[in-house]
Amino acid sequence: MSERIRASWDEYFMNIAKEVATRSTCSRKHVGAVIVRGKCILATGYNGSIRGLGHCDDEGHLMEDGHCVRTVHAEANAIVQAAKNGAGIEGGSIYVTASPCWPCFKLIANAGLGRIAFGEFYRDHKIFDFAGKIGIELFDMSGKVDR
């Protein structure tokens, strides 16, 4: 009989974020986010179109500067889901399959989340400098970021 290795909490929540990403509706990048406090999941989000509008995968991408801007990012959707459901997220952590872009980083900071765990680095190095200035812990779960 093989011995099963139990996932750490970080691995567990990142695995859930990866599953959440499978709901993404923009084929350019599937991203999932999970907000956690006290080892309890408070909200999830994935990148998808504005509620009530067609998805990129169905209607095409809305491109600006090489990026699709039709979707609401996973981090923003998770924060909105928490707000809609009255879940206080201040002091919690967010697990994201890709590091947050600058606008999402600002939302995370102002929502009071104290820790960002990410599975791959995605395009914006300034989050490292600003996270240090305001006391947000960044946890790179890929082991590949060169700052």
Side-chain angles (χ1 to χ4, degrees), residues 37-99:
R37 193 180 64 231
K39 298 180 184 169
C40 293
I41 295 172
L42 302 175
T44 65
Y46 54 87
N47 56 325
S49 295
I50 296 170
R51 184 180 299 271
L53 296 180
H55 303 302
C56 298
D57 292 348
D58 299 330
E59 296 190 8
H61 301 286
L62 179 59
M63 300 300 292
E64 289 182 10
D65 298 322
H67 300 284
C68 181
V69 296
R70 180 185 281 277
T71 64
V72 178
H73 288 189
E75 304 93 323
N77 274 326
I79 291 167
V80 167
Q81 184 186 81
K84 284 178 65 176
N85 292 314
I89 60 175
E90 188 165 1
S93 299
I94 187 166
Y95 291 80
V96 191
T97 57
S99 62

Side-chain angles (χ1 to χ4, degrees), residues 23-50:
R23 293 286 304 153
S24 293
T25 62
C26 181
S27 60
R28 291 186 50 86
K29 186 138 187 87
H30 291 195
V31 179
V34 176
I35 298 176
V36 174
R37 193 180 64 231
K39 298 180 184 169
C40 293
I41 295 172
L42 302 175
T44 65
Y46 54 87
N47 56 325
S49 295
I50 296 170

